[in-house]
C-alpha cells in the first residue's frame, strides 16, 4: 500500500532566535542537524526506507533531507526540489523577533497573523532587506509578498496532486522534508482536518510522520514513527 513520510526540518537559526522566517533562507543549528540525523536513523531502524524524496528550495529543508538520507543510508534516491513546498511567506513580519512583535502590536494581533486560516500578515515592501526578487532560485516565479495558511495550501495541494500523488500511486515510498505550514497543508488534506482546527496543529521538528494510504490515497492511518 502507498506510504508517505513527512518530516519538518530540524531547528533553524531563526527558530532558535524566535524570529519569523518564512521564505528567508536560514540554515540549521547544530541541534537541527542532529534532529535531521536522528530522523534518518529512526527511518533506518524501523525499516521505513524511502525510495523517492521531495523538498523545498530552502536550505534548512534541503539539508534536513540530505542529513536524514545519509543517516538512513539512502543518499542515492532521486529527489525533487520545488518552491511550492516552501514555508508560508510571512511578509512584513520576516526577520522580526516574535516577542518584540507581540509587544509592539499586541498578542492578539500577532496570534491572528500567525494562527488565522485566511488572514495574511502585512506585505513585505519592495526593496526590503528580505526581498527575494534577485535570488536566482526564484527566477521566473511570482514571489508572494505575504501568505496566509489558506494561500500556502493553494500552492501546496496542486503540487501534491501533480507530482507526489502519482509517485505514491506508482508504489514509491515517498519522503517529504519541508516546513511547518507546507506540511500542515498536506496533513489537512490527507486527514480531513477543518480550517479552524488545522491552525492549532503543531508539527514538531525532525519527527517523521507516517501516512499509510489505500490505493485511492485515502489515509488509513497517521502516526509518529517514534511511537511505533
Amino acid at each position: 500500500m502507498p506510504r508517505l513520510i513527512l518530516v519538518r526540518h530540524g531547528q533553524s537559526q531563526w527558530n532558535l532566535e524566535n524570529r519569523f522566517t518564512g521564505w528567508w533562507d536560514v540554515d540549521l543549528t547544530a541541534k537541527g542537524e542532529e534532529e535531521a540525523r536522528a530522523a534518518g536513523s529512526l527511518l533506518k531502524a524501523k525499516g521505513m526506507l524511502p525510495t523517492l524524496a521531495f523538498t523545498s528550495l530552502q536550505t534548512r529543508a534541503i539539508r534536513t533531507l540530505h542529513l536524514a538520507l545519509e543517516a538512513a543510508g539512502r543518499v542515492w534516491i532521486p529527489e525533487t526540489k520545488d518552491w511550492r513546498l516552501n514555508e508560508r511567506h510571512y511578509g512584513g513580519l520576516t526577520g522580526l523577533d516574535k516577542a518584540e512583535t507581540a509587544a509592539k502590536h499586541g498578542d492578539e494581533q500577532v496570534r491572528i497573523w500567525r494562527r488565522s486560516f485566511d488572514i495574511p500578515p502585512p506585505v513585505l515592501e519592495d526593496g526590503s532587506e528580505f526581498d527575494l526578487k534577485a535570488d536566482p532560485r526564484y527566477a521566473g516565479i511570482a514571489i508572494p509578498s505575504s501568505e496566509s495558511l489558506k494561500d500556502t495550501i493553494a500552492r501546496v495541494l496542486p503540487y501534491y496532486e501533480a507530482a507526489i500523488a502519482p509517485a505514491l500511486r506508482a508504489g514509491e515510498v515517498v519522503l517529504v522534508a519541508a516546513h511547518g505550514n507546507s506540511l500542515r497543508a498536506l496533513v489537512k488534506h490527507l486527514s480531513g482536518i477543518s480550517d479552524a482546527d488545522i491552525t492549532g496543529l503543531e508539527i514538531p521538528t525532525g519527527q517523521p510522520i507516517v501516512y499509510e494510504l489505500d490505493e485511492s490515497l485515502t489515509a488509513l492511518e497517521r502516526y509518529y514513527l517514534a511511537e511505533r
Side-chain angles (χ1 to χ4, degrees):
M1 304 301 283
R3 177 176 285 160
L4 175 64
I5 306 164
L6 308 178
V7 178
R8 182 183 175 192
H9 66 78
Q11 183 192 63
S12 75
Q13 186 60 38
W14 281 14
N15 289 150
L16 178 63
E17 296 174 14
N18 200 35
R19 298 169 74 181
F20 291 99
T21 312
W23 277 41
W24 194 245
D25 205 35
V26 178
D27 206 347
L28 299 175
T29 62
K31 177 182 177 181
E33 292 174 348
E34 284 306 308
E35 288 176 331
R37 292 188 187 99
S41 296
L42 183 61
L43 293 173
K44 183 176 182 179
K46 300 288 188 176
M48 192 77 67
L49 298 175
T51 61
L52 189 66
F54 294 85
T55 190
S56 72
L57 294 185
Q58 299 185 269
T59 298
R60 58 195 185 271
I62 296 168
R63 293 198 63 228
T64 293
L65 175 63
H66 291 171
L67 290 167
L69 290 179
E70 183 177 6
R74 306 292 278 189
V75 294
W76 49 269
I77 68 170
E79 63 183 70
T80 300
K81 304 179 185 75
D82 198 282
W83 69 272
R84 285 164 289 194
L85 292 174
N86 275 19
E87 177 59 290
R88 170 188 172 192
H89 197 303
Y90 273 103
L93 300 182
T94 303
L96 297 181
D97 177 277
K98 293 177 182 177
E100 291 176 358
T101 305
K104 180 178 179 180
H105 295 284
D107 290 336
E108 180 60 20
Q109 180 61 67
V110 173
R111 187 195 67 78
I112 290 170
W113 285 333
R114 291 187 68 191
R115 292 303 190 192
S116 67
F117 180 71
D118 56 4
I119 301 174
V123 300
L124 183 71
E125 298 296 335
D126 286 343
S128 161
E129 63 179 304
F130 303 116
D131 192 329
L132 292 166
K133 290 185 180 63
D135 191 319
R137 83 189 81 185
Y138 299 121
I141 293 170
I143 300 170
S145 57
S146 181
E147 289 181 307
S148 64
L149 178 56
K150 182 179 180 180
D151 296 328
T152 307
I153 291 169
R155 62 169 158 86
V156 172
L157 287 191
Y159 182 71
Y160 168 80
E161 295 292 353
I164 299 173
L168 291 166
R169 293 190 185 99
E172 304 282 2
V173 178
V174 176
L175 172 61
V176 177
H179 307 263
N181 284 295
S182 50
L183 294 180
R184 273 193 186 97
L186 295 177
V187 171
K188 182 182 192 304
H189 171 69
L190 292 167
S191 294
I193 298 174
S194 70
D195 295 354
D197 290 340
I198 193 60
T199 57
L201 177 71
E202 294 293 340
I203 298 179
T205 54
Q207 288 291 329
I209 299 170
V210 178
Y211 271 98
E212 306 288 357
L213 307 167
D214 67 15
E215 292 178 355
S216 66
L217 303 188
T218 299
L220 301 174
E221 196 174 7
R222 178 185 95 205
Y223 57 89
Y224 285 103
L225 188 56
E227 297 175 354
R228 290 297 177 95

